[in-house]
Amino acid sequence: MVQATNLGFPRIGAQRETKKIVESFWAGKVTEQAVDEAAIKLRAENWQLQKAQGLTQIPSGDFSFYDHVLDHSVMFNVIPQRFRHLPDGHERNFAIGRGIQKPATETQEKVDIEAQEMKKWFDTNYHYIVPEFEANQTFHLGAQIKTLQEFNEAKALGIHTRPVVLGPLSFLLLGKAAKNSPGLDLITLLPKVLPVYEELFAKLAQAGADWIQVDEPILALDQPSAVIAHFRETYTRLTAAAPSLKFLIATYFGRIDSNVSFIKDSGVAGLHIDLVRAPEQLEHVIANINNTQVLSLGLIDGRNIWKTNLANALKIAQTAVQALGSDRVFVAPSCSLLHTPVTLRFEKRLASKSPELFDWLAYSEEKCKEVQALNNGVESVQAELADNARSIEARRTSAHTTNSAVRQRLEAIVPDQLRRRSVFPERQVKQHEANPLPEFPTTTIGSFPQTKEIRLARAKFTKGEINDAAYYDFIKQEIAFCVQEQEKLGIDVLVHGEAERNDMVAYFGERLEGYIFSENGWIASYGSRCVRPPIIFGDVHRVKPMTVTESVYAQSLTKKLMKGMLTGPVTCLQWSFVRDDIPRSVVCTQLALAIRDEVADLEKANIVHIQVDEPAIREGLPLRTVDFDFYLQWAVDAFLLATTGVKDTTVIHTHMCYSDFQDIFQAIIRMDADVLTIENSKSDMRILGAFSTHGYTAEIGPGVFDIHSPRVPSTQEMKERADAMLKYIPRRNLWINPDCGLKTRGWKEVRESLSNMVAVAEALRASKA
Ligand code: MET
Ligand SMILES: [Zn+2]
């Protein structure tokens, strides 16, 4: 019998219960006990729900208040020195995730501990807390063994679960050396961590577990053969130590490729592979497991919101069943459903207003149902399949997903549309002539504080409590205020402040055709923070200008240059749920054409500096280096298509943040922007050296201060940073700006920081080259 399984269920709750209780706890409104009770209730509901959908192997240990990697570190007692004096419990765990600051009291000194680093989880928009290991790291299980507790909790409810554990190689290699242990080779910790895994597995076996899921997502990345040798030894040892347990190694987000080589003789009972991202790998994997091992087929997309084409999935499942026999096949989502919203039950507005589209969707709850339907399908129960086929066909043939004008325009794209008229050095001369700026021009990245008043006005507008005219008047006032403030500060290239934007992608999505918005499509992003990505369901196109009114109004208030502000096509793509019926590159090109039109309209309206933000370009990079070029080709082409339709004198800016630029220098150069502003205040200056060695010659504004912190940087520290930048960047190319937008900050600190920043530029100008 094929098993219907799942790798992980969202932990946020259908009504974001986890976020709410955790944030109440942070605010001191509820006790630790209340937090635990809420979690127990939610876990029970999640297990019951999965059971009700017919799953036969349900995960446990997949819950988390903050991040599952953080939980895993804590379970193994990998707690950085600076947190160790805090008492064991939620407060300490949250402190590791978000840092802790408390003013001094009569009885206690002040507390100020920096959080552990947060990083993007592979190519998703989920962030994990990077484990910090020390050279003399010890590992041991504490009194609270989360995975065991949750297994027992489910058992008490009569639900036999499959505990999920992050595997030792991924745990170590996704981590980093602590500051006090520079150069630590993480793999040398393996002999120390394995006994603790053995102990954990023995306890799970004793509690009655049979299958356990050991996540090793790093198997989807390029790995040197030495690491694969460690995999072989590790799993041979762990499985021998726990003979009653059946190990399922779970990989996801990409293909396992040659990393599969250790599986055969490793003693593991099964392997999970992602057949949504990498359907082509089935045959290769079947050929590389032994004749008792189970193959878990990731056939339901765990990272998107569309219904699965069950007939197609069934064909793949049947191929596997033919090769392996039904006892050796599991069906499952491609990865943990952590990356998909919880349930469609609360999407009332979509259900009533867009029933056609609503019928195409499946969130986590519905995806569990699909797993079961697929399972039934393999067992020749066809009932749900017919219904699914109808829905898939309706989507395929819908008149609403295709727009022939858009398709024709895409067909007609010619290489000239991806090129500026002149090369950068010529443009630079013309630009400086047409619109002179002082040396070291100062600017900001776009957004200014999103105050309570702004959010309130927007909420009222959305609820219909104030009309269009009143809301727009309010926005105009905000723009005027923001322009005035920048003039007072003496900034050179101004922005309108983005008061009208709730979110840099949603704002454009709401103004483009081809997008819809969910009410409850939340997914975890980091900590308690959830995001609700807009949904691209059809051909994207622009019906009318989206930002011109605001930019033109802002320009009318000042003699200084006003920078137009747009979100780039790649970022719109990355931060949306994207239709899966045409290639992502095509969707991206459609977005690029829409932005191109907007750029043209801004230029026509005499906006001569235009910024097209691409903060997400790096995160779209594939997991395997051989796939980089293909992605970068279409992603950079999309940026070029969006930005190159302008005159030589129009200055195109782009902005990137959250990035390791290492892998993408060539791509950044090919983007051919005139000015690049990047997050830099926390990075090593050597990265700037790398920009010039790789041949970057255009203007650049590496951020001189960190906008994530309310701290006001002094002129001196920023000047030191700028001086260091001048070692790598010629004077005429250096801009002075913050790391990113200021929307999460308050006006007081923004004024002070920017005033100090302007002083830096003045000091630089005074010092002759
Ligand atoms: C995440 S990048 C943000 C860029 C945007 N223009 C802003 O300032 O908010
Ligand atoms: Zn940014």
Side-chain angles (χ1 to χ4, degrees):
M1 253 268 296
V2 173
Q3 303 268 353
T5 70
N6 186 18
L7 273 65
F9 198 78
R11 70 280 293 249
I12 60 175
Q15 306 284 350
R16 285 180 297 153
E17 290 88 341
T18 308
K19 173 195 184 68
K20 288 172 193 161
I21 193 87
V22 162
E23 290 179 2
S24 303
F25 178 70
W26 292 344
K29 290 188 198 143
V30 299
T31 62
E32 182 142 342
Q33 197 193 342
V35 172
D36 286 330
E37 280 163 9
I40 289 172
K41 180 161 169 276
L42 182 61
R43 286 193 290 261
E45 282 168 13
N46 288 349
W47 288 319
Q48 248 120 22
L49 181 151
Q50 293 174 80
K51 193 173 167 195
Q53 300 310 322
L55 296 189
T56 50
Q57 273 193 14
I58 296 166
S60 62
D62 53 340
F63 178 81
S64 181
F65 286 114
Y66 202 90
D67 164 46
H68 57 279
V69 181
L70 167 61
D71 294 343
H72 189 82
S73 299
V74 169
M75 186 164 72
F76 278 51
N77 202 42
V78 178
I79 294 163
Q81 187 83 53
R82 61 188 186 280
F83 299 103
R84 270 178 227 156
H85 64 284
L86 299 174
D88 191 352
H90 290 325
E91 198 166 332
R92 183 193 59 190
N93 298 349
F94 290 135
I96 299 176
R98 55 202 293 265
I100 184 167
Q101 261 183 333
K102 278 189 192 169
T105 64
E106 275 174 28
T107 51
Q108 266 185 332
E109 283 181 53
K110 80 165 199 185
V111 188
D112 185 0
I113 318 177
E114 205 190 331
Q116 249 176 258
E117 190 192 344
M118 184 166 87
K119 235 187 175 167
K120 290 219 183 232
W121 181 241
F122 297 83
D123 59 351
T124 73
N125 200 10
Y126 175 76
H127 304 68
Y128 75 102
I129 301 296
V130 181
E132 265 178 43
F133 299 107
E134 295 174 2
N136 59 358
Q137 186 69 52
T138 57
F139 299 89
H140 60 86
L141 296 175
Q144 314 260 340
I145 306 171
K146 183 178 173 290
T147 314
L148 182 65
Q149 279 172 347
E150 289 176 18
F151 176 79
N152 284 330
E153 210 175 285
K155 193 163 84 175
L157 297 168
I159 301 176
H160 178 77
T161 56
R162 180 171 90 190
V164 182
V165 178
L166 180 62
L169 277 309
S170 292
F171 178 38
L172 293 178
L173 298 181
L174 290 172
K176 66 172 195 185
K179 276 205 189 104
N180 64 10
S181 306
L184 169 66
D185 181 2
L186 299 170
I187 203 84
T188 59
L189 300 174
L190 194 54
K192 287 204 219 168
V193 79
L194 290 183
V196 186
Y197 272 95
E198 285 177 356
E199 193 188 333
L200 173 66
F201 292 154
K203 288 194 153 67
L204 286 169
Q206 213 175 14
D210 50 4
W211 278 95
I212 55 165
Q213 174 186 326
V214 187
D215 284 2
E216 287 286 13
I218 65 165
L219 286 168
L221 305 174
D222 296 330
Q223 296 297 349
S225 56
V227 169
I228 298 306
H230 285 300
F231 267 102
R232 181 175 292 112
E233 284 161 35
T234 296
Y235 283 95
T236 306
R237 170 173 167 177
L238 292 175
T239 51
S244 71
L245 288 182
K246 295 188 191 129
F247 284 63
L248 179 78
I249 303 245
T251 66
Y252 35 83
F253 303 151
R255 54 187 189 272
I256 186 169
D257 259 356
S258 59
N259 294 342
V260 76
S261 63
F262 80 94
I263 293 287
K264 224 178 199 147
D265 327 299
S266 61
V268 305
L271 174 68
H272 173 85
I273 54 172
D274 185 334
L275 290 169
V276 173
R277 275 295 181 83
E280 72 285 356
Q281 65 176 334
L282 181 63
E283 220 177 300
H284 170 70
V285 173
I286 288 179
N288 280 282
I289 56 176
N290 71 33
N291 56 18
T292 60
Q293 283 171 326
V294 162
L295 192 58
S296 167
L297 312 172
L299 290 167
I300 311 288
D301 194 344
R303 292 180 56 172
N304 213 334
I305 40 88
W306 306 106
K307 261 185 194 168
T308 307
N309 182 332
L310 289 176
N312 282 354
L314 184 61
K315 270 191 220 128
I316 304 174
Q318 277 160 342
T319 310
V321 168
Q322 259 158 29
L324 306 169
S326 61
D327 288 343
R328 289 175 56 207
V329 172
F330 291 179
V331 287
S334 58
C335 59
S336 165
L337 294 173
L338 156 69
H339 311 287
T340 301
V342 181
T343 174
L344 281 171
R345 270 178 287 143
F346 303 103
E347 289 296 356
K348 300 257 158 60
R349 186 169 43 91
L350 274 183
S352 65
K353 298 239 168 85
S354 321
E356 184 194 4
L357 270 126
F358 180 76
D359 181 56
W360 304 344
L361 305 179
Y363 288 178
S364 294
E365 177 172 0
E366 295 76 28
K367 282 172 194 280
C368 290
K369 183 110 201 119
E370 288 184 343
V371 173
Q372 195 232 12
L374 195 55
N375 192 12
N376 289 345
V378 183
E379 309 290 342
S380 301
V381 182
Q382 304 289 334
E384 293 109 326
L385 296 185
D387 198 35
N388 174 267
R390 240 189 329 271
S391 170
I392 297 292
E393 186 59 10
R395 180 172 165 212
R396 198 182 63 79
T397 53
S398 166
H400 297 117
T401 55
T402 318
N403 176 313
S404 55
V406 175
R407 297 285 165 113
Q408 276 162 20
R409 210 175 155 203
L410 242 65
E411 286 299 310
I413 294 170
V414 293
D416 259 354
Q417 285 174 290
L418 276 61
R419 264 199 296 268
R420 292 292 292 266
R421 297 174 199 173
S422 313
V423 293
F424 172 73
E426 287 170 30
R427 298 198 305 263
Q428 190 179 30
V429 173
K430 293 187 201 171
Q431 289 166 3
H432 288 195
E433 241 169 49
N435 297 293
L437 279 168
E439 256 194 324
F440 307 108
T442 52
T443 192
T444 62
I445 307 305
S447 58
F448 269 84
Q450 284 267 328
T451 57
K452 232 185 264 149
E453 293 71 38
I454 297 181
R455 275 177 281 145
L456 192 71
R458 186 179 306 124
K460 280 194 185 155
F461 177 56
T462 319
K463 282 192 221 132
E465 289 168 21
I466 54 175
N467 64 18
D468 278 31
Y471 179 65
Y472 194 64
D473 267 352
F474 171 84
I475 293 293
K476 274 172 90 172
Q477 279 169 32
E478 287 296 322
I479 293 175
F481 171 73
C482 188
V483 170
Q484 220 173 49
E485 289 292 323
Q486 294 171 83
E487 289 214 310
K488 275 196 240 162
L489 286 161
I491 293 176
D492 303 307
V493 176
L494 310 195
V495 296
H496 75 283
E498 301 181 23
E500 77 289 8
R501 304 186 191 174
N502 43 347
D503 172 282
M504 64 185 289
V505 171
Y507 181 80
F508 290 91
E510 283 160 8
R511 281 154 187 79
L512 290 166
E513 295 290 310
Y515 267 97
I516 41 163
F517 291 81
S518 70
E519 264 170 298
N520 211 40
W522 297 99
I523 52 173
S525 173
Y526 64 88
S528 65
R529 206 185 136 81
C530 301
V531 292
R532 193 171 36 151
I535 301 169
I536 302 178
F537 72 92
D539 286 347
V540 174
H541 60 109
R542 194 190 72 141
V543 270
K544 56 174 195 256
M546 305 181 281
T547 65
V548 176
T549 319
E550 288 79 5
S551 287
V552 167
Y553 174 65
Q555 180 69 84
S556 76
L557 302 170
T558 177
K559 292 209 166 58
K560 295 242 168 122
L561 293 167
M562 181 59 56
K563 185 162 66 165
M565 201 58 58
L566 306 173
T567 303
V570 187
T571 299
C572 288
L573 185 83
Q574 277 305 120
W575 292 350
S576 302
F577 282 123
V578 182
R579 63 193 290 189
D580 58 356
D581 55 342
I582 59 175
R584 286 172 78 81
S585 56
V586 176
V587 181
C588 197
T589 312
Q590 295 179 356
L591 285 159
L593 284 172
I595 303 295
R596 182 180 176 92
D597 293 346
E598 188 71 13
V599 168
D601 283 339
L602 284 170
E603 185 182 59
K604 248 185 259 159
N606 296 319
I607 302 295
V608 296
H609 281 252
I610 301 171
Q611 178 170 314
V612 179
D613 292 324
E614 284 293 17
I617 202 161
R618 170 65 182 76
E619 79 184 45
L621 205 61
L623 301 179
R624 299 279 187 167
T625 44
V626 289
D627 302 328
F628 282 13
D629 285 351
F630 177 72
Y631 161 76
L632 288 172
Q633 184 68 38
W634 63 254
V636 174
D637 279 356
F639 181 84
L640 290 170
L641 182 60
T643 55
T644 58
V646 291
K647 293 186 275 201
D648 281 346
T649 47
T650 297
V651 183
I652 296 290
H653 297 237
T654 189
H655 163 72
M656 291 176 200
C657 49
Y658 317 119
S659 291
D660 253 336
F661 301 108
Q662 305 285 5
D663 299 320
I664 57 167
F665 285 122
Q666 289 314 320
I668 294 176
I669 292 168
R670 202 167 75 82
M671 285 165 77
D672 200 22
D674 300 299
V675 184
L676 165 68
T677 54
I678 53 168
E679 175 175 335
N680 187 69
S681 73
K682 282 193 290 190
S683 323
D684 194 319
M685 290 292 164
R686 270 179 308 188
I687 194 84
L688 299 179
F691 267 99
S692 66
T693 7
H694 282 83
Y696 184 84
T697 55
E699 298 178 20
I700 185 165
V704 290
F705 73 90
D706 175 18
I707 55 85
H708 297 102
S709 155
R711 205 177 143 259
V712 174
S714 68
T715 299
Q716 194 196 335
E717 67 178 85
M718 289 189 277
K719 168 83 168 34
E720 279 164 18
R721 262 178 225 135
D723 285 336
M725 291 169 189
L726 281 171
K727 297 206 180 86
Y728 303 102
I729 300 166
R731 283 176 79 97
R732 66 167 193 293
N733 284 352
L734 186 61
W735 284 65
I736 303 294
N737 48 260
D739 261 351
C740 186
L742 298 161
K743 68 169 164 217
T744 57
R745 300 269 63 88
W747 267 106
K748 182 172 175 308
E749 70 227 40
V750 160
R751 270 190 210 102
E752 290 169 10
S753 304
L754 291 179
S755 155
N756 291 351
M757 184 189 90
V758 170
V760 173
E762 284 160 359
L764 290 169
R765 285 167 202 156
S767 70
K768 275 285 150 239

